[in-house]
Amino acid sequence: MTEQLRLMAVHAHPDDESSKGAATMAKYVSEGVDVLVATCTGGERGSILNPKLQGDPYIEENIHEVRKKEMDEAREILGVKQEWLGFVDSGLPEGDPLPALPDGCFALQSVETAAEPLVRLIRTFKPHVITTYDENGGYPHPDHIMTHKITMVAFDAAGDAERYPDAGEPWQPQKLYYNQGFNKPRTIALHEALLARGMESPYGEWLERWKQFERRERTLTTYVPCDEFFEIRDKALIAHATQIDPDGGWFRVPMDLQREVWPTEEYELAKSLVDTSLPEDDLFAGIRNN
């Protein structure tokens, strides 16, 4: 290809882009790829997860603006572009039985209607590759599941002139991936490496929970080497200060161990309109040489 490659990452909330595939995006930015994050909601109903900021009345009253500023900082660190799709955070319902979702929230929208702004953005930005979540949302947050649904619709509709005719000139992306960075093989490898070095592992509870849930193992098709960008990933994540405790579990695995044991970020190829050989080490495999 002679034209610039373009990658779009579709995420539910500000901070998801920094916890899922951030090192991959930073790697591609360094190679001259044009990278755009599409953020479905403003994260308005997200809890303040960093204990150092809990109870701050300004943050509690202005969470939408605070999270927007955090996103601005993370975007600058990663070197990506970013657009808001404009939906309202659904929150994560808790309790038994689960409470109803709030009126007007993202997860209660019609999928066909909610896909329109993403179709419009795809047709404007013209990505060759799109990344998003699998049908489980990565974890079962209603906004993550809805993000999956609208991305699947938009991937197919963006290239069809008869669908969403008022949303711009058709453009067909070539590949669609699911983020699978929180996968079992990686978790086991890091867990065992920590224990072998006589260190405490933050993954013991994760592995125990995995045993309790009957979830099929995902097929990892694509391993993107990006360990030299792990520090940029962590800086972007820390920029989301309301969501991330810099002294928390995200950062308990020493960087040199991460690079040695698991220097990639993983994806599951969900749709491809080009020929490619699995496993891959490049999201643009089959596109670069066409």
Side-chain angles (χ1 to χ4, degrees):
M1 286 191 64
T2 55
E3 68 174 305
Q4 184 181 28
L5 293 169
R6 292 178 295 276
L7 171 66
M8 176 185 285
V10 187
H11 288 287
H13 311 106
D15 81 75
D16 287 324
E17 85 296 326
S18 296
S19 61
K20 304 165 190 68
T24 298
M25 291 193 296
K27 166 196 168 76
Y28 283 124
V29 167
S30 78
E31 296 175 356
V33 175
D34 199 1
V35 181
L36 173 67
V37 172
T39 311
C40 293
T41 80
E44 301 90 344
R45 291 192 171 94
S47 301
I48 300 172
L49 301 177
N50 184 348
K52 300 177 180 67
L53 298 181
Q54 289 170 354
D56 184 312
Y58 176 82
I59 293 175
E60 291 175 352
E61 293 171 15
N62 300 278
I63 188 66
H64 182 272
E65 285 303 310
V66 169
R67 295 200 72 180
K68 184 177 184 297
K69 289 178 182 177
E70 292 174 348
M71 183 70 244
D72 289 344
E73 185 177 346
R75 184 193 69 236
E76 291 295 322
I77 291 167
L78 293 171
V80 301
K81 298 173 180 175
Q82 189 260 341
E83 295 285 347
W84 303 95
L85 294 191
F87 296 103
V88 176
D89 190 346
S90 306
L92 181 59
E94 295 179 293
D96 186 14
L98 290 175
L101 293 173
D103 289 346
C105 72
F106 179 40
L108 291 181
Q109 304 302 308
S110 153
V111 173
E112 285 293 321
T113 301
E116 192 274 344
L118 183 56
V119 169
R120 186 180 298 276
L121 189 58
I122 290 171
R123 289 176 176 175
T124 301
F125 181 65
K126 298 179 170 55
H128 302 95
V129 175
I130 295 177
T131 66
T132 193
Y133 317 131
D134 63 32
E135 67 277 6
N136 300 310
Y139 81 109
H141 190 298
D143 287 340
H144 284 240
I145 293 169
M146 188 64 166
T147 297
H148 163 81
K149 290 177 179 178
I150 71 165
T151 306
M152 302 306 286
V153 169
F155 182 91
D156 292 334
D160 186 344
E162 295 184 1
R163 299 180 69 183
Y164 303 97
D166 299 324
E169 292 295 316
W171 171 266
Q172 181 57 60
Q174 298 297 292
K175 297 173 88 175
L176 174 68
Y177 288 93
Y178 299 150
N179 297 292
Q180 296 295 354
F182 299 113
N183 59 76
K184 198 169 183 179
R186 172 185 179 272
T187 305
I188 291 173
L190 292 174
H191 177 70
E192 292 180 347
L194 286 164
L195 296 181
R197 288 161 174 77
M199 303 172 69
E200 186 178 342
S201 168
Y203 299 121
E205 290 185 10
W206 288 28
L207 295 172
E208 285 302 314
R209 284 200 298 271
W210 251 310
K211 292 178 185 177
Q212 297 172 19
F213 296 105
E214 293 289 331
R215 282 185 61 183
R216 72 177 180 88
E217 289 296 314
R218 307 302 305 196
T219 301
L220 305 179
T221 62
T222 310
Y223 298 75
V224 178
C226 52
D227 55 299
E228 63 186 286
F229 300 95
F230 284 176
E231 288 178 347
I232 292 176
R233 170 203 66 194
D234 287 359
K235 287 179 182 176
L237 197 51
I238 290 170
H240 292 282
T242 59
Q243 305 302 300
I244 301 295
D245 181 356
D247 299 318
W250 285 100
F251 311 106
R252 287 184 186 150
V253 182
M255 188 62 68
D256 59 341
L257 187 148
Q258 293 183 50
R259 287 176 167 146
E260 174 189 341
V261 174
W262 206 270
T264 60
E265 289 183 337
E266 292 71 55
Y267 299 84
E268 178 182 354
L269 180 60
K271 288 177 177 279
S272 182
L273 304 181
V274 297
D275 292 331
T276 185
S277 298
L278 302 179
E280 306 168 318
D281 62 3
D282 179 12
L283 299 182
F284 295 96
I287 296 175
R288 289 184 190 272
N289 300 322
N290 284 353

